[in-house]
């Protein structure tokens, strides 16, 4: 096959990224859109680059070295990448390749000025922009200069910033190739950037135009502040005209220079409103062609727009796909479930099939559409009340949407607003037997699931699971279970509200719920202290555990004195809690039973930080504190007017809280217990697919939805390309931050705390567990990396039940996500840890090791000197 080293831009389109790189492929695509003008040019293909790389065998060894470097080792990256660039620039361009470039230039005009621009194969992709990673050279004149700058573009694949970006994002240096665009130079009156969606808010209906005089380099390099225009529905809705003191202009002999602008011109807008609207119309045409919002570089020449680049905006949060064009308001499920990481497709679809409300996926996260609930005044009040109790930022974000008046349609109260926000039915009596009965029902249902699933394989397994999902939902929606959960929550709110009003007590329920009985999650943390007690007396076992890396370590334990007891204690713990893990709402996440090494650092910390019997002492201490608090509160109430009545009501609510608040954690335990049964059955099915050579590895099923996996099992055929696309997409979702509230316009709304009662410089959050504590902040994003000392305060993004074993070793808690009744808050109260949740960007703003003061009653964190 004869390699094509040069292609005209008119010959390529966006399907040819492998041949001409992302930038050239997009330029080729742009040149085919009616009404869009693109400067003429050609592309030196990746085949030419590969040929040049083959001329220098020494580069191969250096690429091996490069791939082994740590992305943070800047000095090594700088040295090695500079060597590779020098080698590439030193290779003479072979005669036939130089001739092909010369012929292409002759057709356009050899003495004209050109822009010589890098176009890498991993560039301008929907999932990674690589913007600014490689080099562009403007106003290059003459064949010799053009050939020299083509070499420089090839070498720029190995700039320090490009190499670091690839190392951080998992791109193989050998799999990224470089093409070069040579394009007729445009000498514009004005230039700039058009975003077809607002890059700050994400709103897809608002376009933003940045504009300055002369070449766009002045704007890109930060030499001038641009004029900024915002356009919606064909109208400029906002503009800010900057004082532009300088511009960059091309020189006749090549290169460019800065020039000062006349004072009277500095204050003039670079574009008229009519030109801005016309530019945005062109942008909408480009956006429609590429089927996603675009970041477009444009030039204005004699009142005519030319487009010199278009790439996807990769930072926008995706919008859930719906079939209508109506307005929708979505609330993040992850912020309520304490898991804002992306989920794999199987995880998303199983959660959708087992959830109580319809859910939409976007960016690997789940969202609930609350538009109808917001539209009806009655259900709106309930929704806002529940949101405010759980996460004030969600409530504030929803109110921000409602304040726009025109976004959410108004429905009469009788309209389909859905059930009241709490889903609560009539209150129930305070009877511990209710909780016992609910737990027995759940355990019986799970035992039946385990028994009945054993014989199911192939398509019959999927039919069985669809029925099991219905039983799953039935257990979750059990009216008695809902009443028990709400009884505990509402009694907590009642105690906090009434005791504040009557006694001036803040967050009184926090102490009253200490060591509440029957909380399966807080028991899990204490039970790991008991495991540590079994292992602590056996130094050989402790020494062995300190070096454990392999999940098969349990089989090795019996070789050591005390090892059999240690193994039995860990096995018993896994039998009860082994279905748990970080991010457990995603069925694809590895469970503790599958990866028991996760527990080893926690056990070792417990051995180091605690004395024997700590679990029992701790629980009893909390129980006594709660009892003492209850007596104190009731005595103070009896001294008030109507004191006996107030004390009786309060006693009833304290009993109700202590009976029901622990049960609130049980339904989640039931969900993940069932999930582990489903997962084990699906992985056995995946193993059969691997044996039949349908799949290369079992975990590939995680990138298929439940229905797609069902189809694969029926047909014994799989779409490998689809699985690879899903893996790439999943990787890209990690870079996205899911918003608490998202609209169908794409606007991500974070919400704000409207408070002025905190010290200057303090980080505001939601008070969820009373008390004030000072200590060292341990910023931990991965539980396996925890290495705690006495007195440490845990600072993390979010915690789910799997983090509970860590809670026994800390003195306070700060999280970025959470609410009054989410996992971290409930367990912090049970363990008596001061806690503030919903602290935006806490893990970024609080350095690891920093001394901080957590105000758990007032909801803020101070960073101490």
């Amino acid at each position: 096959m004869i390699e094509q080293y040069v292609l005209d831009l008119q010959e390529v389109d966006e399907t040819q990224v492998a041949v001409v790189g992302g930038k050239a492929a997009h330029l080729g695509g742009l040149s085919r859109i009616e009404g869009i003008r693109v400067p003429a040019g050609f592309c030196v293909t990746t085949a030419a680059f590969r040929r040049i790389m083959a001329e220098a065998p020494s580069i191969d060894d250096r690429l091996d070295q490069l791939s082994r470097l740590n992305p943070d080792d800047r000095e090594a990256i700088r040295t090695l990448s500079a060597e590779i660039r020098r080698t590439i620039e030193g290779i003479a361009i072979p005669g036939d390749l130089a001739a092909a470039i010369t012929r292409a230039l002759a057709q356009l005009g050899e003495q004209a000025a050109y822009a010589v621009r890098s176009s890498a194969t991993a560039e301008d992709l929907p999932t990674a922009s690589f913007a600014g990673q490689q080099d562009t050279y403007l106003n290059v004149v003459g064949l010799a200069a053009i050939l020299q700058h083509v070499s420089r573009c090839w070498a720029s694949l190995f700039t320090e910033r490009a190499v670091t970006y690839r190392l951080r994002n998992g791109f193989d240096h050998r799999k990224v190739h470089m093409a070069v665009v040579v394009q007729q130079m445009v000498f514009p009156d004005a230039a700039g950037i058009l975003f077809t969606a607002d890059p700050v808010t994400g709103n897809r209906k608002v376009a933003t135009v940045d504009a300055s005089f002369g070449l766009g380099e002045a704007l890109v390099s930060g030499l001038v502040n641009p004029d900024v225009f915002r356009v919606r529905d064909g109208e400029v809705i906002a503009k800010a005209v900057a004082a532009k003191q300088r511009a960059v202009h091309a020189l006749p002999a090549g290169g460019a220079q800065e020039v000062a602008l006349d004072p009277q011109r500095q204050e003039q807008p670079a574009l008229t409103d009519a030109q801005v609207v016309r530019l945005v119309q062109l942008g909408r045409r480009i956006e429609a062609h590429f089927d996603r919002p675009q970041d477009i570089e444009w030039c204005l020449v004699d009142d005519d727009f030319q487009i010199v680049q278009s790439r996807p905006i990769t930072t926008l949060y995706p919008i859930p796909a719906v079939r209508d064009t109506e307005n929708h308001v979505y609330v993040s499920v992850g912020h309520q479930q304490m898991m804002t990481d992306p989920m794999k497709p199987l995880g998303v679809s199983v959660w959708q099939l087992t959830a109580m409300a319809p859910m939409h996926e976007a960016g690997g996260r789940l969202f609930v559409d609350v538009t109808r609930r917001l539209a009806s005044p009655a259900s709106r009040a309930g929704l806002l009340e529940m949101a405010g109790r759980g996460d004030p930022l969600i409530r504030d974000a929803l109110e921000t949407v409602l304040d726009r008046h025109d976004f959410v349609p108004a429905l009469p109260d009788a309209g389909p607003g859905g059930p009241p926000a709490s889903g609560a039915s009539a209150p129930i009596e305070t009877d511990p037997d209710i909780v016992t009965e609910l737990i027995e029902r759940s355990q019986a249902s799970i035992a039946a699931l385990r028994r009945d699933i054993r014989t199911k394989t192939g398509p019959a397994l999927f039919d069985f699971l669809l029925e099991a999902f219905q039983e799953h939902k039935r257990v979750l929606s059990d009216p008695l279970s809902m009443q028990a959960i709400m009884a505990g929550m509402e009694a907590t709110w009642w105690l906090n509200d009434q005791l504040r009003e009557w006694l001036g007590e803040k967050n009184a329920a926090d102490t009253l719920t200490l060591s509440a009985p029957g909380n399966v999650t807080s028991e899990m943390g204490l039970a790991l202290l008991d495991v540590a007690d079994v292992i602590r007396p056996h130094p050989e076992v402790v020494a062995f555990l300190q070096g454990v890396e392999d999940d098969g370590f349990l089989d090795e334990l019996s070789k050591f004195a005390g090892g059999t007891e240690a193994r039995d204690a860990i096995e018993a713990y896994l039998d009860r809690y082994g279905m748990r893990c970080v991010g457990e709402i995603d069925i694809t996440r590895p469970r503790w039973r599958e990866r028991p090494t996760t527990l080893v650092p926690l056990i070792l910390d417990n051995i180091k930080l605690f004395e024997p019997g700590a679990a029992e002492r701790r629980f009893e201490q909390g129980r006594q504190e709660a009892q003492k608090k209850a007596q104190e509160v009731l005595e103070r109430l009896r001294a008030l007017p109507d004191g006996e009545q107030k004390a009786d009501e309060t006693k009833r609510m304290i009993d109700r809280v202590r009976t029901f608040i622990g049960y609130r954690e049980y339904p989640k335990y039931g969900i993940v217990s069932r999930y582990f049964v489903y997962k084990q059955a699906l992985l056995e099915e995946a193993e059969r697919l691997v044996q039949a050579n349908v799949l290369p590895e079992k975990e590939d099923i995680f990138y298929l939805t439940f229905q797609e996996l069902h189809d694969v099992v029926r047909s014994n055929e799989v779409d490998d390309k689809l699985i690879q696309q899903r893996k790439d997409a999943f990787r890209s979702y990690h870079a996205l931050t899911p918003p608490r509230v998202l609209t169908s316009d794409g606007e991500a709304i974070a919400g704000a705390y409207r408070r002025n009662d905190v010290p200057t410089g303090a980080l505001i959050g939601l008070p969820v567990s009373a008390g004030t504590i000072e200590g060292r902040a341990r910023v931990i994003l991965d539980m396996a990396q925890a290495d705690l000392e006495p007195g440490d305060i845990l600072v993390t993004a979010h915690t789910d039940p799997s983090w509970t074993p860590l809670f026994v070793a800390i003195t306070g808690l700060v999280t970025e996500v959470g609410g009054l009744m989410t996992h971290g808050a409930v367990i912090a109260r049970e363990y008596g840890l001061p806690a503030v949740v919903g602290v935006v960007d806490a893990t970024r703003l609080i350095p690891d090791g920093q001394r901080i003061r957590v105000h758990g009653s007032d909801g803020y964190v101070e960073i101490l000197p």
Side-chain angles (χ1 to χ4, degrees), residues 617-686:
R617 274 198 309 278
R618 187 157 187 162
F619 186 81
E620 184 52 28
Q621 184 188 344
R623 196 185 65 76
Q624 287 181 14
E625 266 184 70
Q627 202 172 1
K628 188 172 145 199
K629 181 71 175 177
Q631 286 168 344
E632 177 220 315
V633 162
L634 295 173
E635 280 170 26
R636 287 172 62 195
L637 286 171
R638 288 191 185 105
L640 299 177
D642 299 326
E644 283 301 331
Q645 186 190 333
K646 284 172 179 161
D648 286 349
E649 269 188 275
T650 302
K651 172 78 170 70
R652 253 201 330 277
M653 288 300 175
I654 292 171
D655 290 345
R656 178 165 292 188
V657 161
R658 296 204 57 88
T659 301
F660 292 119
I661 202 67
Y663 174 71
R664 193 183 176 283
E665 290 287 303
Y666 199 86
K668 183 83 169 278
Y669 177 78
I671 289 171
V672 294
S673 297
R674 299 178 77 90
Y675 266 23
F676 193 35
V677 180
Y678 306 154
K679 182 183 185 180
Q680 287 170 307
L682 290 170
L683 281 174
E684 282 174 26
E685 207 52 50

Side-chain angles (χ1 to χ4, degrees), residues 30-224:
L30 284 166
S31 65
R32 291 157 186 256
I33 306 171
E34 194 178 336
I36 302 296
R37 290 198 56 194
V38 176
F42 60 88
C43 181
V44 182
T45 65
T46 54
F49 172 76
R50 286 195 300 274
R51 182 164 165 194
I52 291 296
M53 293 292 276
E55 300 273 328
S58 65
I59 290 178
D60 223 36
D61 297 337
R62 289 184 182 137
L63 289 183
D64 282 338
Q65 288 172 262
L66 211 53
S67 62
R68 289 195 293 271
L69 290 181
N70 183 319
D72 296 319
D73 189 348
R74 295 180 62 177
E75 193 50 48
I77 291 172
R78 186 179 298 128
T79 306
L80 200 51
S81 57
E83 283 177 24
I84 295 173
R85 287 200 306 280
R86 278 196 301 273
T87 304
I88 292 172
E89 285 185 37
I91 297 169
I93 297 179
D96 58 333
L97 176 48
I101 295 171
T102 308
R103 281 195 300 276
L105 266 180
Q107 289 182 320
L108 293 172
E110 247 177 75
Q111 289 316 304
Y114 291 89
V116 182
R117 314 170 71 193
S118 305
S119 179
T121 53
E123 185 175 8
D124 297 351
L125 304 176
T127 55
S129 81
F130 285 76
Q133 299 293 318
Q134 286 92 31
D135 291 348
T136 281
Y137 301 94
L138 299 178
N139 202 27
V140 182
V141 179
L143 174 63
I146 285 168
L147 291 174
Q148 181 189 19
H149 284 86
V150 166
S151 284
R152 284 186 182 170
C153 283
W154 286 331
S156 77
L157 190 61
F158 298 97
T159 61
E160 184 187 341
R161 61 184 182 269
V163 166
T164 305
Y165 188 91
R166 288 198 295 274
L167 285 171
R168 285 199 196 288
N169 289 280
F171 284 86
D172 183 341
H173 302 298
R174 280 195 172 76
K175 290 190 177 159
V176 182
H177 300 133
M178 180 67 86
V180 183
V181 177
V182 180
Q183 208 172 5
Q184 278 183 342
M185 190 66 197
V186 175
F187 301 100
D189 307 313
I193 297 167
L194 157 64
F195 296 98
T196 64
D198 187 317
V200 179
T201 67
N203 194 321
R204 309 304 203 263
K205 294 192 174 166
V206 175
T208 304
V209 175
D210 291 4
S212 65
F213 292 118
L215 291 168
E217 287 308 285
L219 191 155
V220 173
S221 62
L223 185 66
V224 297

Side-chain angles (χ1 to χ4, degrees), residues 10 114 143 145 193 309 355 385 492 588 633-634 664 705 727:
Q10 299 275 354
Y114 291 89
L143 174 63
I193 297 167
Q309 186 160 346
E385 168 72 10
T492 305
T588 72
V633 162
L634 295 173
R664 193 183 176 283
T705 66
K727 286 179 178 178

Side-chain angles (χ1 to χ4, degrees), residues 454-638:
R454 281 184 197 139
T455 56
K456 306 293 188 288
T457 61
L461 169 66
F462 289 82
D463 296 338
F464 172 82
L465 281 172
L466 287 171
E467 286 175 30
F469 295 163
Q470 293 310 308
E471 165 67 2
H472 180 122
K473 290 205 266 195
R474 191 196 63 70
V475 172
L476 271 187
S477 60
D478 181 334
L480 189 61
S481 177
M482 304 290 262
Q483 284 175 301
I485 291 168
M486 289 312 299
M489 285 165 64
E490 285 169 350
T492 305
W493 299 334
W494 188 94
L495 287 166
N496 279 337
D497 293 345
Q498 294 306 127
L499 296 181
R500 186 167 197 159
E501 185 186 326
W502 293 337
L503 300 176
E505 281 261 359
K506 263 188 196 171
N507 306 74
D510 294 0
T511 310
L512 295 167
T513 53
L514 284 169
S515 299
N519 185 322
V520 69
T521 307
S522 61
E523 286 166 2
M524 174 172 77
L526 298 175
L528 205 62
L529 286 173
D530 292 335
V531 173
D533 284 355
V534 174
I535 295 171
R536 192 181 288 105
H538 305 294
E540 280 186 46
V541 175
V542 174
F544 169 69
L545 289 177
Q546 281 163 344
V548 155
E549 289 179 2
D550 179 6
D551 284 314
F553 74 94
L554 288 169
D555 298 333
E556 305 281 305
L557 279 171
S558 55
K559 296 176 185 170
F560 305 100
T564 304
E565 296 95 304
R567 186 194 61 208
D568 291 349
I570 295 172
E571 284 285 1
Y573 187 86
L574 289 171
D575 286 344
R576 180 140 169 76
Y577 304 112
M579 77 296 286
R580 308 222 84 148
C581 68
V582 172
E584 60 192 11
I585 69 168
D586 181 353
I587 196 174
T588 72
R589 290 286 189 105
R591 312 280 138 178
W592 290 345
R593 173 51 86 185
E594 297 168 303
R595 200 170 284 172
T597 45
T598 311
L599 295 174
V600 171
L602 305 174
I603 294 168
L604 291 170
D605 272 350
N606 287 350
I607 290 169
K608 176 177 75 174
L609 299 174
F610 295 95
E611 295 295 317
E616 196 177 335
R617 274 198 309 278
R618 187 157 187 162
F619 186 81
E620 184 52 28
Q621 184 188 344
R623 196 185 65 76
Q624 287 181 14
E625 266 184 70
Q627 202 172 1
K628 188 172 145 199
K629 181 71 175 177
Q631 286 168 344
E632 177 220 315
V633 162
L634 295 173
E635 280 170 26
R636 287 172 62 195
L637 286 171
R638 288 191 185 105

